Structures are given as C-alpha cells and as structure tokens.
Amino acid sequence: MNITPEALFEARRHFLKLGAGALVSSTAISQLLAELPKDLSLSYTPDTNPLKLTSNTFEQITNYVNFYEFSTDKEAPVKLSQKMKTSPWNVGFFGEIKTEQMLEVDDLIAKFGLEERIYRFRCVEGWSMVVPWIGFPLYKLLDYLEPNSKAKYVKFTTRHDPSMFPDQAKGIFSSIKHPYVEGLRMDEARHPLTFIAVGMYGKRLLPQNGAPIRLVVPWKYGFKSIKSLDLIECVQSEPLNTWQEQNPKEYGFYANVNPAVDHPRWTQAKERLLGKLIKQATLSFNGYDKEVAHLYAGMDLRKFF
C-alpha cells in the first residue's frame, strides 16, 4: 500500500503525455486512472451524488492547491512534495478520550472502511471546485475514541517535519507559524458531513493534496480542512487556529462559507469554479444550508465569522 515517489512521478508523466489540463475528457481521465499503479487504488462505497454535482478534473484538483508547508504558490507544491514520505504514517489521538493512542493510517482504513463523498470545496480566496473524496466520517473515529464529558472541541494539528516541508524549515521566516492548527466544535466534528479523507478519484491522496490523511468540512472555507494530519485531540477549550492567530481581523474560528459577509480582501458573494470563466453565486454554507444551518441558530454570523 506504499505510495512511492516513483509511482507518483510516473502518474504525472502520464498526464503530461496526454497534454492533460482543464479540457481533458472524463473518458481520458478514467482511462488514465485505470493505468495508475494498483497500490494507489482504494476500495470504497460510491456516493449516490444526491446533489448531482459534477467533479472537477483530476488534473485541476491535483495541480491548484494551497499547501503553505511547501509554498505559498498554488502549483509549486506539486513538485516540492514528490519526496514526501507518506507511509507508514501514524496519527496521535490524545486529550479527553478513553484511551490515548497512536494509529497508522492503514489501520484506520481497515477499522472504519471507506466511502466516497462528492463535495463542493470553497476557498476564502474566491475559487471553488468539486472533489470526489474517499474516506470515512469523523464521527466514526470519535465514537471509537470515546471522548469524555470535558471534551467540547476537537483540535487538529498537521505534521511538523522541516525535513519534509520546505516552509517549515525556514523557521521564523516561514510564511505562517507552523505546525498548522485547526479546530471544530464537538457538534461540528460529529456532524455526518464532516469527513476524514485518505483519497480522491478512487486513489490515495497525492502529497500536494494533503496525503496521507486530512480533514474535509464542506460547509466551511477550505483552510479549515487541514492537511497531512499528525494529531487529533479532544479538548476542553476552543483551539486557536493558525489563520486566526495570524490575522484575527480577517479569520475567525468558524469560517463558515457566507456570501453575506465579505473577507476584507475578497468578496464572498461570488466564486470562480476552476475551469469556468464566468463567476457563479456562492451559496450559504457552501450549499449545505439545510444540513448544517441549525448548528449556528441564534448566533450572529458577522461576529462569529
């Protein structure tokens, strides 16, 4: 089940030989994915796709990313991440839970099984995409960990390894403070839409997309969906997330997609779906209003942004 740098390099070469880009047909992508090394494939239950969402291309999703541990450039992580060692990868589970422990990603997959979730993804910078993630709901993991009554939040921390992540190696000159930290209220974490992803398009996550394991919260701006998880802790107090610490006037704890509340530098009323020229209207809670709006009943969403 290892993801070797050679395999990833060969996969990318296949795309380049096809001249892949925004205009690659779905047929070509399916053929290409079938040719990828077998050890990248995952067994999962397909999404019924009730919202009839059309996924972006594999090439778009894997070549336009924010991964500051590598670079602030959207495309540089593709090249910079190819030497990343993603297996074996242990994740630590600590805090207010029944038994603190470490588990390897493959053990998590075996324990909880895999399913597909085709979700909208909305970046606070004003671009969006649709991603066919593969993983398992976070509540299954929390049920297994058995948080106690003191656990009010879940804190997530990315892997801190300056030998692997170039920006972390810059120390005080890094673009942001490392390691990257995010958090959810316990009821947000236990919501059925909140997902732990280990793959996309039926294959293991590529390094630039947060391999080998990451969080996906589809109704929040993308920066909440922390990549390359190292620690998951159930805690008593609201965690200070990385961007909130970086600039509290621009980033709050909740980061729910809200077209009525603009970011100081980017309008949130509209978004550009990758591969499209014309912007489209942004939906409240990224289109998941019916499922999650009740979590924030009575809250002033301009104050709790």
Side-chain angles (χ1 to χ4, degrees):
M1 299 296 280
N2 290 337
I3 300 175
T4 67
E6 290 79 10
L8 299 175
F9 178 72
E10 288 301 322
R12 183 162 171 73
R13 281 187 60 196
H14 281 302
F15 275 119
L16 295 175
K17 281 196 293 186
L18 281 176
L23 299 180
V24 170
S25 70
S26 57
T27 300
I29 289 177
S30 298
Q31 182 178 357
L32 177 63
L33 291 175
E35 295 174 356
L36 289 176
K38 297 297 183 185
D39 64 353
L40 294 177
S41 298
L42 295 168
S43 178
Y44 61 93
T45 302
D47 192 349
T48 58
N49 195 11
L51 299 178
K52 306 300 181 188
L53 298 174
T54 300
S55 299
N56 279 87
T57 68
F58 184 81
E59 181 73 358
Q60 289 168 336
I61 292 171
T62 57
N63 283 276
Y64 193 83
V65 299
N66 277 327
F67 203 157
Y68 276 39
E69 284 81 348
F70 290 109
S71 171
T72 57
D73 185 276
K74 295 284 192 299
E75 298 178 353
V78 177
K79 179 179 179 181
L80 295 173
S81 66
Q82 296 310 304
K83 293 182 179 179
M84 183 178 176
K85 181 176 173 54
T86 59
S87 179
W89 187 285
N90 289 301
V91 182
F93 303 98
F94 297 101
E96 304 290 348
I97 58 178
K98 185 175 183 179
T99 305
E100 295 186 329
Q101 57 194 294
M102 304 280 290
L103 288 171
E104 212 278 330
V105 171
D106 282 352
D107 293 333
L108 294 171
I109 293 173
K111 191 178 294 294
F112 303 119
L114 296 177
E115 59 187 89
E116 181 184 48
R117 295 285 183 90
I118 302 175
Y119 281 160
R120 297 185 182 91
F121 182 96
R122 173 62 157 80
C123 180
V124 71
E125 297 169 348
W127 55 272
S128 64
M129 56 188 178
V130 176
V131 187
W133 302 104
I134 307 295
F136 54 86
L138 177 58
Y139 73 79
K140 287 188 175 182
L141 172 61
L142 293 172
D143 285 347
Y144 168 76
L145 295 174
E146 297 187 51
N148 60 41
S149 60
K150 296 179 181 177
K152 306 300 183 187
Y153 296 87
V154 183
K155 178 182 178 182
F156 306 88
T157 306
T158 199
R159 178 66 54 91
H160 187 252
D161 184 348
S163 70
M164 190 160 58
F165 297 116
D167 198 69
Q168 291 180 351
K170 296 177 182 176
I172 61 171
F173 299 105
S174 300
S175 59
I176 59 173
K177 182 180 179 182
H178 296 293
Y180 197 99
V181 172
E182 262 304 339
L184 294 172
R185 223 170 48 193
M186 186 58 77
D187 58 343
E188 298 177 311
R190 296 191 65 86
H191 192 280
L193 290 179
T194 306
F195 204 58
I196 294 291
V198 297
M200 58 168 60
Y201 269 104
K203 308 290 182 180
R204 293 275 188 157
L205 287 173
L206 296 186
Q208 65 265 31
N209 291 109
I213 185 168
R214 62 173 291 169
L215 179 70
V216 178
V217 193
W219 71 91
K220 295 179 179 290
Y221 293 118
F223 67 84
K224 293 291 286 188
S225 294
I226 182 172
K227 301 178 178 73
S228 300
L229 287 167
D230 188 62
L231 294 172
I232 296 179
E233 301 166 89
C234 292
V235 297
Q236 299 184 41
S237 302
E238 182 180 295
L240 179 63
N241 65 52
T242 291
W243 285 106
Q244 190 181 14
E245 182 177 13
Q246 189 89 0
N247 190 340
K249 292 182 179 179
E250 295 192 1
Y251 302 96
F253 174 78
Y254 287 95
N256 293 317
V257 175
N258 189 345
V261 179
D262 283 339
H263 183 277
R265 287 178 284 145
W266 302 291
T267 176
Q268 302 302 336
K270 291 189 175 183
E271 64 196 47
R272 189 183 304 283
L273 182 66
L274 293 187
K276 301 290 185 183
L277 294 176
I278 306 299
K279 288 187 176 182
Q280 63 188 30
T282 286
L283 301 174
S284 176
F285 295 107
N286 204 22
Y288 301 97
D289 188 298
K290 184 172 62 176
E291 290 86 355
V292 302
H294 68 278
L295 297 176
Y296 311 100
M299 293 177 65
D300 181 350
L301 298 184
R302 291 186 176 276
K303 178 180 179 182
F304 296 100
F305 60 92

